[in-house]
């Protein structure tokens, strides 16, 4: 089975767009379990180091719930896990992905916490107002054949000042593209707060980055 997943991973490393994920959507979760996928849990743990139920309750009491974009939400594993470890009453979780079939899988799940799904392409301007989100999460999207640091300005546009992007990347990919990350972070007046290793899956090493929009 691991060989089958390795083949799929190689295929999406060549082309991580909708054509590749369309045929993977139905089996994706099952195959990810088989390779011990841990990145959704790791990213939510990182996000929870920055945001507590109490801090979001205070924000909600002042009139508006904390809006999060899960960019490249796929089948919704991030929202599914988040709903099990974080009270979602004071959160509005939006899911966006380029592959309609992946979003369809996410929509079928119960108790994922998502209140909205959209088809988005991180390589283009995103269909949300400027500074719409309090924080953005991306998990498993910054890797070969998918998105590179040139997508960062599109994310930062929809993030509020003071908001955080909490993202994963394949470790090797980040190291190869670091110059691009540094450039876009600087040009968009953002600050890289943290880079650290995270549990990812058995076939690759992962890191998380926490980036603040100033
Ligand atoms: C490895 S999956 C990760 C899905 C989910 N975040 C997870 O952790 O299970 C990568 C996802 O990125 C999406 N994707 C690839 N390129 C994209 C782009 N340019 N804009 C938005 N989503 C994209 C794919 O459709 C796929 O659902």
């Amino acid at each position: 089975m691991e060989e089958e997943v390795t083949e799929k991973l190689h295929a999406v490393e060549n082309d991580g767009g909708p054509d590749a994920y369309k045929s993977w959507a139905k089996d994706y979760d099952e195959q990810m379990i088989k390779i011990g996928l841990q990145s959704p849990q790791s990213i939510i743990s990182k996000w929870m180091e920055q945001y507590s139920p109490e801090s979001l309750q205070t924000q909600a009491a002042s009139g508006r719930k904390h809006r999060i974009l899960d960019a490249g939400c796929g089948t919704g594993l991030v929202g599914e896990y988040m709903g099990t470890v974080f009270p979602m009453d004071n959160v509005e979780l939006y899911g966006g992905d380029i592959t309609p079939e992946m979003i369809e899988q996410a929509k079928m799940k119960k108790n994922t916490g998502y209140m909205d799904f959209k088809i988005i392409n991180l390589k283009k301007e995103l269909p949300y107002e400027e500074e719409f989100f309090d924080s953005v999460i991306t998990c498993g999207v910054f890797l070969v054949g998918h998105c590179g640091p040139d997508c960062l300005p599109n994310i930062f546009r929809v993030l509020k000042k003071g908001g955080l992007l909490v993202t994963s990347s394949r470790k090797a990919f980040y190291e190869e593209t670091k110059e691009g990350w540094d450039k876009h972070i600087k040009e968009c007046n953002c600050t890289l707060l943290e880079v650290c290793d995270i549990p990812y899956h058995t076939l690759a090493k992962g890191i998380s980055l926490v980036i603040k929009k100033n």
Side-chain angles (χ1 to χ4, degrees), residues 41-59:
Q41 291 87 333
S42 301
I43 279 301
I44 290 301
S45 301
K46 273 284 143 207
W47 181 89
M48 285 172 61
E49 285 175 14
Q50 303 289 339
Y51 300 104
S52 66
E54 295 72 29
S55 67
L56 299 203
Q57 194 174 19
T58 307
Q59 176 179 342

Side-chain angles (χ1 to χ4, degrees), residues 5 9 18 21 27-28 30 34 36-37 41 43 45 58 70 83 86 97 105 118 123 131 137-138 147 151 162 166 192:
V5 186
L9 284 175
Y21 277 100
D27 300 335
Y28 178 86
E30 193 191 329
K34 295 203 161 112
L37 185 74
Q41 291 87 333
I43 279 301
S45 301
T58 307
D70 176 11
F86 196 86
D97 198 281
Q105 293 298 315
K118 272 191 178 38
K123 295 181 181 170
E131 303 200 2
I137 292 171
T138 86
C147 294
C151 295
V166 181
L192 178 59

Side-chain angles (χ1 to χ4, degrees), residues 189-203:
N189 191 22
C190 294
T191 304
L192 178 59
L193 299 182
E194 188 187 345
V195 183
C196 72
D197 291 350
I198 51 166
Y200 197 70
H201 58 60
T202 52
L203 303 179

Side-chain angles (χ1 to χ4, degrees), residues 16-18 21 28 32 37 39-40 70-78 96-99 102 120-123 139-141 143 146-147 151:
Y21 277 100
Y28 178 86
M32 286 300 111
L37 185 74
S39 45
D70 176 11
C73 64
T75 60
L77 291 176
V78 165
D97 198 281
I98 199 168
T99 309
M102 294 292 269
I120 63 168
N121 182 354
L122 287 161
K123 295 181 181 170
C139 182
V141 177
L143 65 143
H146 292 61
C147 294
C151 295

Side-chain angles (χ1 to χ4, degrees), residues 70 73-76 93-97 102-109 112-120 128:
D70 176 11
C73 64
T75 60
L93 180 61
Y94 291 65
D97 198 281
M102 294 292 269
I103 289 188
E104 283 314 310
Q105 293 298 315
K107 280 184 181 167
M108 279 193 264
K109 291 179 179 167
T112 55
Y114 294 99
M115 50 145 316
D116 176 87
F117 287 104
K118 272 191 178 38
I119 307 292
I120 63 168
Y128 309 100

